[in-house]
Amino acid sequence: MRYFIEFAYNGKEYFGFQIQPNAISVQETLDKSLTLVLRDKIEIVGAGRTDTGVHAKQMFAHFDFESEINSPQLVHKLNSFLPKDIAIFNIYKVADDAHARFDATKRTYEYHIHLQKDVFENENSWYYQNELNVDKMNQACKVLFEYTDFECFSKVNTEVNTFNCKIYEAYWQKDGNQLVFTIAADRFLRNMVRAIVGTMINIGLEKIAIDDFKTIIESKDRSQAGFSVPAHGLYLTKIEYEYLK
């Protein structure tokens, strides 16, 4: 029987979601806890990967288990075993061919910036003190809808068959000293969101123009795009499936 597990994690102490040699990951931590509680070797398959230090407010994975699971009871047990920076929300029984990664139809990320020094936000948001033109950054967001090939924002030497992504949403919101970038797409390339944010920072600083942003995307060259902003401000916030509505 196949099950989906819905969970969240603070990525500060982990070397990303995916299992790494000689480094602690979210996947390894969950595998060990599920194996212990269910008394059977469990290996989860995640909906995607997040890099070192990146957080997830909502993440999914699937695993197989031969027996019927009491979901509320298992959620309670797992949360008792897991460290405080990983929380389980739900466990769903799904079709045997359901796949956490390939069946996801939409993913949403947020990047959090605080514009004034804040001792409580340092680990959850990136502190950036230079003045930004948020209106121009939102103009740049509209440009993203004109393209599907985002190779210029992808980490180099990645093993992917295509750099095409369909962007559904992209916008900046400022609330006092908090600035949040939200972006949703059918899929994301490695480092894509952090590279987009870094490039838009240069637009907000008025170092580059909107037409330059278009030229960067059309170049398909990572070296033409902006810097990659720090990981600790990035959150995977939502993953959507047709059968989990």
Side-chain angles (χ1 to χ4, degrees):
M1 300 179 187
R2 180 153 292 184
Y3 295 91
F4 268 32
I5 183 168
E6 180 187 3
F7 55 101
Y9 55 87
N10 183 314
K12 180 187 175 186
E13 302 296 333
Y14 299 96
F15 287 80
F17 172 78
Q18 194 165 3
I19 287 178
Q20 303 287 332
N22 304 315
I24 187 67
S25 68
V26 176
Q27 185 177 12
E28 179 186 0
T29 305
L30 281 169
D31 282 355
K32 287 181 176 178
S33 295
L34 279 162
T35 297
L36 182 65
V37 172
L38 294 175
R39 299 179 182 180
D40 192 14
K41 179 67 174 176
I42 302 294
E43 294 181 350
I44 63 172
V45 176
R49 62 174 66 179
T50 55
D51 291 334
T52 300
V54 176
H55 317 291
K57 293 184 177 181
Q58 184 188 54
M59 178 61 144
F60 285 92
H62 75 252
F63 66 92
D64 295 328
F65 187 62
E66 62 183 12
S67 302
E68 202 68 56
I69 285 176
N70 182 320
S71 295
Q73 186 179 72
L74 181 56
V75 168
H76 177 75
K77 284 186 176 180
L78 285 172
N79 280 326
S80 298
F81 275 96
L82 286 163
K84 62 183 180 181
D85 49 16
I86 300 177
I88 309 300
F89 299 138
N90 288 295
I91 295 174
Y92 307 93
K93 186 179 178 182
V94 293
D96 290 347
D97 61 349
H99 199 287
R101 178 184 173 191
F102 298 134
D103 292 353
T105 57
K106 184 178 178 183
R107 297 166 168 86
T108 304
Y109 280 89
E110 290 178 359
Y111 193 84
H112 290 238
I113 297 173
H114 56 288
L115 304 171
Q116 180 175 304
K117 190 173 182 180
D118 187 328
V119 297
F120 300 107
E121 290 290 341
N122 287 331
E123 294 182 356
N124 305 309
S125 174
W126 180 43
Y127 173 41
Y128 193 77
Q129 56 186 320
N130 294 333
E131 188 173 344
L132 296 168
N133 187 327
V134 179
D135 287 339
K136 286 195 174 180
M137 292 161 73
N138 270 317
Q139 288 176 38
C141 287
K142 295 176 182 178
V143 171
L144 293 172
F145 299 108
E146 301 175 18
Y147 296 90
T148 55
D149 188 324
F150 295 103
E151 185 174 358
C152 70
F153 298 126
S154 173
K155 191 171 184 177
V156 295
N157 300 322
T158 56
E159 297 178 2
V160 294
N161 296 320
T162 175
F163 293 97
N164 288 349
C165 307
K166 181 175 176 57
I167 306 292
Y168 295 114
E169 298 174 73
Y171 57 89
W172 288 89
Q173 285 184 307
K174 188 174 183 292
D175 182 9
N177 291 309
Q178 303 295 317
L179 183 60
V180 178
F181 174 60
T182 301
I183 184 167
D186 60 344
R187 63 189 289 266
F188 287 91
L189 307 169
R190 289 197 66 187
N191 203 58
M192 178 175 166
V193 180
R194 291 163 63 193
I196 289 175
V197 172
T199 308
M200 287 191 176
I201 291 291
N202 287 332
I203 291 172
L205 293 171
E206 301 185 0
K207 289 184 176 180
I208 62 174
I210 300 298
D211 286 342
D212 297 325
F213 190 55
K214 294 180 180 180
T215 301
I216 289 168
I217 297 173
E218 291 168 7
S219 75
K220 302 182 182 182
D221 183 353
R222 177 66 186 91
S223 67
Q224 298 297 310
F227 65 103
S228 180
V229 290
H232 69 276
L234 182 61
Y235 296 77
L236 173 60
T237 60
K238 192 174 184 181
I239 303 177
E240 297 179 42
Y241 300 89
E242 289 294 335
Y243 43 77
L244 286 184
K245 289 184 175 180

